[in-house]
Amino acid sequence: MVIMTTTPSRAFQPVLDRIAEEMERTPGRGRPADYIPALAACDPRRFGMAVAEPDGTVYGVGDWREPFSTQSLTKVFTLALDLAREGDELWEHVGREPSGNPFNSLIQLEYENGIPRNPFINAGALVVTDRLQTRTGDAAGELLGFLRAESGNPTLGFDEGVAASEAAHGDRNAALAHFMASYGNIDNPVPVLLDQYFRQCSLTASCADLALATGFLARHGVRADGTRLLTGSQAKQVNAVMLTCGTYDAAGDFAYRVGLPGKSGVGGGIIAVVPGRCTLCVWSPGLDERGNSVAGVAALDRFTTLTGVSVF
C-alpha cells in the first residue's frame, strides 16, 4: 500500500475509486434508523463519497449526487450560524464536552441543571436552534439559505414527510425542550422550536452539496464567496467540538480511527474536515449501534490511511 502523504488534487479520484471498490466487498453494513419510519426503508448498501477542495473543486464516487436525509449533520451549520451572531455568549447555554451518553439522554440534563453537555447531542442542538430562531425569526430558513449558497445548489429543500415523521415520533425531543425551558434555557415556545428543529433535520442534500457547504471550516471561517462567517478562532472551535463530540458517544473511537473533525447523522451521512486541505462527505444508511454509518466510518478511515491526511 502506498501512502500519499502529499496527496495532490488529481490523486483524490483514484483514492475514492479504490475506497468504493473496497466498500462494495464489505459485508455487514448495519441497519437504517428504523425508529424514524421515513428512514427505515433506506437500502444499507447504498454508498456515496465526495471530497471538496477549498477552491470548490469536488470529486465523487458512487451515489455522491444522490440527495439523502441530513439529520444531525445540520447541527454543524446551525452552530456556525449562531456562533457568528452571538460569539462566546453561546457557550453560557451549552457546553463543549463529550457526553458519554446517548444523544437523547434526559438523565444528563438533570444532573447539569438544564445545560446540555455539547451542541451536537439533541438537547444542545435544540438550544442552538432556539438561539438562532431568536436572532433570525426563521432558523430553518436561515440554514437552508446558507446551505444553498455554500453548495451552489438552489434546489436544496426540506422533506416534509421526514419532518412530519419526526414530529410524530418526537416525544423525547419535546421532553428535552420542556425540561430545558423549566431551567430558563429556552427562549421560544417549545412547539415553535420543535417545528424549526424537525424541519432543520429533514433537509435533504447530496454528498457533493455537503462537502462543498462544509468548505468554510477548511477555509478557517471564510465562505465560498470570500466573505467571512467565522473568525479563525471560531472555526477552530467548531472543528474541535466536531472532533470531540461529533459522532455521538463514539467520538473517541472515531478520532482514533479517522483522525479528523467529523459529524454524523442517523440518515447515514458523515461530514469531515481537513483544515486548509479539503472537506468530505460520505453517505451509507446502514448504522452501527451508536448511530454512525458503518460504511461511512470505514470509508473515512481508509481515506486518511491511504492519503496520510489527518489532523494528527
Side-chain angles (χ1 to χ4, degrees):
M1 177 178 63
V2 177
I3 296 178
M4 296 167 286
T5 56
T6 57
T7 309
S9 300
R10 64 182 180 276
F12 281 140
Q13 192 62 54
V15 169
L16 294 180
D17 291 339
R18 176 169 173 177
I19 291 170
E21 291 173 3
E22 292 181 6
M23 293 303 105
E24 182 65 27
R25 299 193 299 268
T26 302
R29 298 281 280 269
R31 297 176 58 186
D34 53 11
Y35 64 91
I36 301 175
L39 301 182
C42 292
D43 180 358
R45 300 293 302 180
R46 299 291 295 273
F47 175 82
M49 188 171 185
V51 180
E53 294 180 311
D55 67 358
T57 304
V58 62
Y59 309 84
V61 69
D63 300 312
W64 68 301
R65 293 197 179 278
E66 178 72 19
F68 63 91
S69 186
T70 57
Q71 295 294 312
S72 289
L73 301 185
T74 58
K75 296 174 182 178
V76 172
F77 305 105
T78 53
L79 173 61
L81 289 168
D82 187 72
L83 188 60
R85 285 166 170 79
E86 64 170 321
D88 286 346
E89 184 182 345
L90 169 63
W91 303 120
E92 298 175 12
H93 301 269
V94 61
R96 302 186 294 271
E97 295 293 336
S99 68
N101 285 304
F103 57 83
N104 58 358
S105 172
L106 276 160
I107 296 172
Q108 193 168 63
L109 261 186
E110 185 165 14
Y111 283 143
E112 298 180 349
N113 300 316
I115 304 295
R117 184 65 68 91
N118 67 68
F120 294 148
I121 56 175
N122 285 16
L126 285 163
V127 167
V128 174
T129 298
D130 176 67
R131 299 186 71 76
L132 186 61
Q133 175 69 14
T134 297
R135 282 154 183 76
T136 66
D138 184 6
E142 193 73 16
L143 167 73
L144 179 60
F146 178 80
L147 290 177
R148 283 176 171 176
E150 297 306 292
S151 67
N153 183 356
T155 69
L156 293 185
F158 301 113
D159 185 323
E160 299 301 336
V162 171
S165 180
E166 296 206 44
H169 297 81
D171 292 337
R172 179 63 67 95
N173 285 315
L176 292 168
H178 281 294
F179 190 81
M180 291 186 293
S182 75
Y183 280 93
N185 202 22
I186 295 293
D187 294 333
N188 294 279
V190 169
V192 172
L193 169 58
L194 292 174
D195 177 66
Q196 289 286 321
Y197 181 71
F198 294 141
R199 287 181 66 216
Q200 166 190 320
C201 292
S202 76
L203 189 139
T204 60
S206 69
C207 291
D209 296 325
L210 290 162
L212 288 167
T214 311
F216 72 99
L217 290 174
R219 294 187 292 268
H220 309 291
V222 176
R223 296 185 59 169
D225 64 2
T227 61
R228 181 168 287 281
L229 175 69
L230 301 176
T231 67
S233 179
Q234 289 172 328
K236 178 190 70 176
Q237 292 168 4
V238 174
N239 281 327
V241 177
M242 287 174 68
L243 180 68
T244 58
C245 308
T247 46
Y248 309 119
D249 53 340
D253 186 64
F254 185 83
Y256 177 84
R257 291 184 61 185
V258 176
L260 295 176
K263 180 71 192 85
S264 60
V266 296
I270 307 175
I271 52 177
V273 182
V274 186
R277 294 291 302 275
C278 64
T279 46
L280 304 98
C281 180
V282 61
W283 171 62
S284 186
L287 309 180
D288 62 22
E289 67 279 1
R290 290 173 168 174
N292 299 309
S293 171
V294 173
V297 174
L300 290 169
D301 182 0
R302 292 298 290 150
F303 179 85
T304 54
T305 298
L306 292 169
T307 63
V309 171
S310 82
V311 297
F312 300 109

